[in-house]
Structure formats: C-alpha cells, structure tokens
C-alpha cells in the first residue's frame, strides 16, 4: 500500500505540514517522488512514522528521535517493547491518580478515612516515573541501577513535609539562579548560594553526597539537551552558568 502525503497524514492523524517538515529535516523521507511531483510513502515509511509518533508521545525531541532511528544499533522490535513498557508506566500512573481521586471523593462523602500518606503517594510516584521517562537511561548508565533505585525509594518514602520542601527548594533555585545570572559572576555570593541550594536539593534524592558527583550532574546539564532546555527555558545560558557555579562550589576544573 502506498500513500500520498495527504493520505498518510489522514491515516496517522497528523498534518501534511508536519510530514513535509519531517521530510525537510531528513527524519522521514518519502519512498519516492512520482511523475506529478507528489511524495509517495510505502510500508517502510509507514512503520517509521509509527515509531516517530511513539517517541513523540513519550516526549522525545525530534533531534533525539532522528539520532535514535539512524543509529546503527537501532532495533525496531526492542524499541516497540520499550515503548510498551513506558506506556504501561503511564497507564499505571493514571490508574494511581484515579484511585487517589476515588479515595478522596469517598472521604469527602464520609465513607472512608484517608491517611495523609495516601493523599500524596500518587504524586511522589509521578515524580519518580517522570524522571525515569525523561532521564532514566542516561542516569542509570552514568550512576548505575542500584544508586538510581535507591534514589527512587528515597523519593517514594518522603513525608508530605519533605515533598513540599523539595518543591519549594526547586522553585527557589530557579529564582536565585536568575538573580545570580544577572550579576554575571558564577563565583559571586548569589551564584554560590544557588550551588549550595542545588546541593541541598540533591540530598533529597541521594543517600550520600560527593563533590565529584555534584560536578558530574552539573556537567550533564550542559551535555544533555533536555537538561539544558529545562534550565534555559526562561533564560538562555542558565545551564552553563549553573554548571560553572557548581564547579566553583565543588572546586572542579572545567575541561573546555
């Protein structure tokens, strides 16, 4: 079965503009161009588009998808199994949220008594699931499964107060980082305060703190585009500035 760009867009539920853009960036090229100048897509392109849309549903950037699909190590069957695993995790999270909502409604109706721990279990699990989905592979490759699993257990064991403190500290880091960037000095008081706050933030996840690991995380913020985008979304260059501040805080030399 072959499809024009219009028919493939209808089949997949995406716009022809999106398909043309995928062609422009060499993410999904048509099998051929017919004599009338129309893009024609075959079975291989349909299967590839399905993979692309799976990755997009999981929040992977187009650039990263392109790298994955063009890698010599890419295995379509393995990728599908990984898609399935991650989608099941999403479903489990939604099921937990629905269960929490049902329990909350039952409590409001006077049918049950809900513990404070039950009120927040789904949200703490989401914190773990989101982190695994976005950064799990890289973090596990860098620090090992056992350390990541310990971190996840620590998050899920947080009290309501600890979870609130973690959320507030994350917000404070962004505020203080913005003020520090305005000074232009990663060695300045505000920048070093930000680095110290970041250390405190890490201790909510880590059993043990080390300057070397702290510096390694800071460098990862610059090396990995997803981390960089998170910090740079409000202020370009924030990830590099934070890395430099943490390097100074930990006494680490830059290799640039």
């Amino acid at each position: 079965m072959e499809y024009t760009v219009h028919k493939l867009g209808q089949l997949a539920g995406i716009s022809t503009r999106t398909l043309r853009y995928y062609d422009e960036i060499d993410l999904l090229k048509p099998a051929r161009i017919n004599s009338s100048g129309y893009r024609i897509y075959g079975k291989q392109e349909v299967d590839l588009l399905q993979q692309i849309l799976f990755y997009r549903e999981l929040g992977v950037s187009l650039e990263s998808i392109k790298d994955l699909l063009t890698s010599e190590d890419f295995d379509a069957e393995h990728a599908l199994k990984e898609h399935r695993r991650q989608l099941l995790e999403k479903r489990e999270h939604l099921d937990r949220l629905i269960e929490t909502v049902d329990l909350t409604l039952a409590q409001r109706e006077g049918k049950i008594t809900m513990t404070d721990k039950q009120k927040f279990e789904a949200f703490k699990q989401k914190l773990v699931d989101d982190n695994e989905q976005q950064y799990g592979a890289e973090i596990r490759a860098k620090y090992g499964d056992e350390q990541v699993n310990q971190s996840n257990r620590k998050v899920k064991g947080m009290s309501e107060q600890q979870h609130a403190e973690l959320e507030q500290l994350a917000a404070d880091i962004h505020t203080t980082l913005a003020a520090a960037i305005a000074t232009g000095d990663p060695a300045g008081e505000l920048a070093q305060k930000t680095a110290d706050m970041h250390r405190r933030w890490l201790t909510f996840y880590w059993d043990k703190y080390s300057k070397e690991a702290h510096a390694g995380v800071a460098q990862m913020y610059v090396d990995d585009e997803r981390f960089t985008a998170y910090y740079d979304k409000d202020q370009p260059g924030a990830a590099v500035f934070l890395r430099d501040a943490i390097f100074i805080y930990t006494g680490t030399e830059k290799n640039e």
Side-chain angles (χ1 to χ4, degrees):
M1 185 71 179
E2 290 188 328
Y3 301 90
T4 63
V5 68
H6 180 69
K7 288 184 178 179
L8 182 58
Q10 286 184 324
L11 177 71
I14 60 176
S15 68
T16 56
R17 181 179 180 182
T18 296
L19 286 171
R20 291 189 180 96
Y21 179 66
Y22 288 173
D23 184 4
E24 288 173 13
I25 64 174
D26 296 326
L27 179 61
L28 179 66
K29 306 292 290 184
R32 60 187 176 86
I33 305 294
N34 69 11
S35 58
S36 300
Y38 291 109
R39 295 173 174 86
I40 302 298
Y41 298 85
K43 182 182 183 304
Q44 183 176 345
E45 290 72 39
V46 170
D47 290 344
L48 188 58
L49 177 59
Q50 184 192 43
Q51 288 283 1
I52 292 168
L53 296 182
F54 274 136
Y55 279 121
R56 290 298 290 155
E57 182 66 25
L58 295 169
V60 182
S61 70
L62 292 178
E63 184 176 348
S64 296
I65 293 173
K66 184 177 177 181
D67 289 341
L68 286 165
L69 296 180
T70 57
S71 168
E72 293 181 359
D73 299 328
F74 179 73
D75 183 326
E77 183 176 345
H78 174 77
L80 284 170
K81 289 178 179 178
E82 182 62 15
H83 293 324
R84 185 178 188 278
R85 182 190 68 79
Q86 294 188 46
L87 289 170
L88 285 173
E89 286 182 357
K90 273 192 168 185
R91 186 174 71 182
E92 288 171 7
H93 170 62
L94 288 173
D95 287 342
R96 282 192 295 268
L97 284 178
I98 291 169
E99 182 182 359
T100 301
V101 170
D102 288 343
L103 288 171
T104 304
L105 286 171
Q107 177 184 256
R108 288 180 174 273
E109 294 167 359
K111 296 177 181 178
I112 65 166
T113 300
M114 191 177 185
T115 67
D116 288 342
K117 182 180 179 182
Q118 286 176 309
K119 294 176 184 177
F120 294 95
E121 279 180 343
F123 297 103
K124 288 186 289 185
Q125 184 64 48
K126 184 178 188 302
L127 197 63
V128 170
D129 291 345
D130 286 350
N131 193 56
E132 281 283 356
Q133 181 179 318
Q134 295 181 60
Y135 315 116
E138 291 81 359
I139 295 173
R140 287 181 180 278
K142 189 174 182 66
Y143 297 105
D145 288 338
E146 182 53 33
Q147 185 166 335
V148 174
N149 291 338
Q150 285 179 356
S151 174
N152 290 342
R153 286 193 293 269
K154 190 170 183 181
V155 171
K156 288 190 281 189
M158 284 182 191
S159 67
E160 178 186 347
Q161 180 180 351
Q162 288 174 320
H163 186 263
E165 289 176 1
L166 175 63
E167 293 290 303
Q168 185 59 55
L169 185 56
D172 291 344
I173 287 172
H174 279 279
T175 301
T176 309
L177 176 60
I181 292 173
T183 70
D185 183 9
E189 182 180 351
L190 280 174
Q192 291 306 292
K193 180 181 178 182
T194 305
D196 185 64
M197 292 167 69
H198 189 267
R199 174 193 61 78
R200 287 163 47 205
W201 179 79
L202 285 174
T203 60
F204 278 89
Y205 295 93
W206 292 357
D207 286 328
K208 295 180 181 179
Y209 170 83
S210 76
K211 291 182 177 181
E212 293 78 12
H214 192 182
V217 168
Q219 185 60 49
M220 187 165 59
Y221 290 167
V222 175
D223 293 340
D224 190 301
E225 64 177 10
R226 291 166 297 173
F227 286 103
T228 303
Y230 173 76
Y231 283 100
D232 284 12
K233 61 184 177 182
D234 296 322
Q235 197 160 1
V240 170
F241 186 92
L242 178 60
R243 186 275 311 272
D244 292 349
I246 291 172
F247 273 24
I248 293 168
Y249 180 85
T250 57
T252 304
E253 293 185 6
K254 288 189 290 184
N255 295 317
E256 293 183 337

